[in-house]
Amino acid sequence: MAIAAAISVPLTSPIRRRNSLILTGSSSSSSTIQLSFPKNNIAGLCPRFRISASAASSMSTQAPQKASTAPTSFLDRREAGFLHFVKYHGLGNDFILVDNRDSSEPRVTPEQAVKLCDRNFGIGADGVIFAMPGIDGTDYTMRIFNSDGSEPEMCGNGVRCFARFIAELENLNGRHSFTIHTGAGLIVPEILEDGKVRVDMGEPILKGSDVPTKLPANKDQSVIKSELDVDGVAWYVTCVSMGNPHCVTFGAKGGQNLQVDELDLAKIGPSFEHHEMFPARTNTEFVQVFSRSHLKMRVWERGAGATLACGTGACATVVAAVLEGHAERNCTVDLPGGPLQIEWREEDNRIYMTGPAEVVFYGSVPL
């Protein structure tokens, strides 16, 4: 059975009009490699590579030909049996973005999402995100399937990628904001002039039973710096929901300041995620304090494992740091993929997250 794929890799922001060099195969099972350059044909400057292949056995060179395929027309194609997508990342937390605006049902199943996210046999990603029609008066709806097929309520890095994806689909430039319906409620991202995305993440949920956690509340119905036994070790944890559950720890009982780079997340992460005290499982943030405005975090995400970044986790981390007295309300949070700026405003109790979202490549995959 022939397998076909197409990949376009941008090294800068998309450029709409291009000249191209096309190399095609001479056998009956052909290959095509298309290298697209800026309109002025300055070879080597900000190239975009578009690769398509189908069971190729050999290649030959033909004379240059013009090609006019642009990202917008690429996304508009609807060949039967193919999924067209754009891959984005937010500080290394990567997602397959799918234009699903014509239907309220995801174009792939959770089982297909697992295969797509596989880093050896699929595209490779932490999750698949669908841009869907808005409901309840919102502009759009965002749904996500994790790499294990589960569906989280929301994703902070994912919503920044979602905003950049919508701007590309709608051909928008400059500063724009959207209202997005998610499983965690209304989320409002705003694309800033520098290309970063600031997201109004809403108010944190601190009531223990709403996080949810079975740990007994120890302060105003909240679970703050409470002891949690994990594989025989007592950890101090604070539980926060950003529409999805988080367990934040700054270290074990009697331990020194946590050195997050020394943690074996693959060993301890699952024990937190599946702990009986978290009936909906949990995301877990391990946090090192540098100063009252500078934190470092590593995360074990529910349904995805160790990832390079977690936006909702960074928000929950700052909330927990404030509640435990480690930090002020405006912090830089260093993640393995890079920093996020998190502000928990006292005047409205809302959390604002600011960070990047970048295109990785465009592609097609048979379903």
Side-chain angles (χ1 to χ4, degrees):
M1 178 178 69
I3 298 177
I7 301 175
S8 172
V9 185
L11 302 186
T12 62
S13 58
I15 300 172
R16 297 295 178 187
R17 299 181 61 185
R18 309 172 181 280
N19 295 327
S20 302
L21 170 67
I22 299 179
L23 309 179
T24 58
S26 58
S27 66
S28 58
S29 297
S30 64
S31 294
T32 301
I33 301 180
Q34 175 178 315
L35 288 76
S36 300
F37 297 95
K39 181 182 177 184
N40 292 335
N41 200 27
I42 306 174
L45 177 62
C46 305
R48 180 189 297 275
F49 301 95
R50 192 194 266 324
I51 303 172
S52 14
S54 87
S57 58
S58 64
M59 295 184 64
S60 64
T61 306
Q62 294 183 351
Q65 303 175 19
K66 288 186 177 181
S68 59
T69 302
T72 49
S73 61
F74 172 76
L75 288 167
D76 286 340
R77 291 186 298 175
R78 291 290 185 271
E79 294 97 333
F82 276 79
L83 176 74
H84 302 295
F85 66 90
V86 183
K87 184 172 176 181
Y88 280 79
H89 80 88
L91 299 178
N93 197 190
D94 55 344
F95 304 95
I96 298 163
L97 275 293
V98 178
D99 182 4
N100 212 123
R101 293 173 297 165
D102 57 354
S103 173
S104 58
E105 289 297 322
R107 293 193 62 203
V108 303
T109 65
E111 294 74 21
Q112 288 172 318
V114 172
K115 295 178 181 179
L116 292 172
C117 290
D118 191 291
R119 296 189 183 278
N120 297 109
F121 298 98
I123 298 165
D126 293 321
V128 181
I129 296 178
F130 306 91
M132 307 176 78
I135 60 176
D136 297 331
T138 58
D139 296 321
Y140 305 97
T141 294
M142 182 177 83
R143 288 184 64 182
I144 314 167
F145 290 152
N146 281 326
S147 57
D148 70 349
S150 61
E151 183 172 359
E153 298 86 350
M154 223 282 289
C155 174
N157 288 310
V159 78
R160 296 199 316 276
C161 294
F162 184 97
R164 292 293 300 270
F165 182 54
I166 290 296
E168 180 169 3
L169 290 175
E170 303 286 4
N171 198 26
L172 303 175
N173 295 305
R175 196 166 186 147
H176 289 277
S177 63
F178 317 100
T179 55
I180 301 175
H181 175 81
T182 75
L186 175 67
I187 300 294
V188 184
E190 180 184 13
I191 300 175
L192 305 178
E193 295 293 347
D194 62 2
K196 289 185 178 180
V197 183
R198 180 171 60 210
V199 185
D200 178 351
M201 299 288 287
E203 299 183 45
I205 298 168
L206 299 176
K207 185 178 179 180
S209 59
D210 291 340
V211 171
T213 179
K214 294 181 180 179
L215 286 167
N218 58 2
K219 185 177 181 182
D220 298 329
Q221 299 185 306
S222 302
V223 177
I224 301 173
K225 202 173 182 179
S226 181
E227 286 188 31
L228 177 69
D229 185 278
V230 181
D231 297 334
V233 177
W235 293 80
Y236 285 125
V237 302
T238 292
C239 298
V240 180
S241 172
M242 292 303 305
N244 56 352
H246 292 270
C247 170
V248 183
T249 180
F250 296 86
K253 184 178 181 180
Q256 301 296 318
N257 290 335
L258 192 59
Q259 302 296 306
V260 295
D261 288 336
E262 299 175 3
L263 294 173
D264 186 350
L265 284 190
K267 181 178 180 181
I268 63 174
S271 297
F272 277 86
E273 178 184 354
H274 298 280
H275 198 285
E276 62 181 359
M277 289 292 103
F278 304 109
R281 297 189 293 163
T282 191
N283 302 281
T284 307
E285 287 75 37
F286 301 88
V287 188
Q288 182 174 348
V289 179
F290 290 140
S291 73
R292 294 187 64 80
S293 61
H294 188 188
L295 308 172
K296 184 176 184 178
M297 180 195 95
R298 290 182 66 194
V299 62
W300 181 268
E301 289 199 53
R302 178 186 60 165
T307 62
L308 294 179
C310 176
T312 56
C315 294
T317 289
V318 171
V319 171
V322 171
L323 294 175
E324 289 194 25
H326 298 298
E328 305 296 338
R329 287 176 171 262
N330 197 332
C331 291
T332 298
V333 181
D334 288 339
L335 304 102
L340 284 173
Q341 196 66 33
I342 308 296
E343 181 183 7
W344 183 17
R345 292 184 184 172
E346 191 167 9
E347 57 267 29
D348 60 8
N349 197 40
R350 304 181 76 84
I351 301 177
Y352 296 84
M353 169 190 64
T354 304
E358 304 290 341
V359 172
V360 182
F361 60 82
Y362 301 81
S364 299
V365 63
L367 290 177

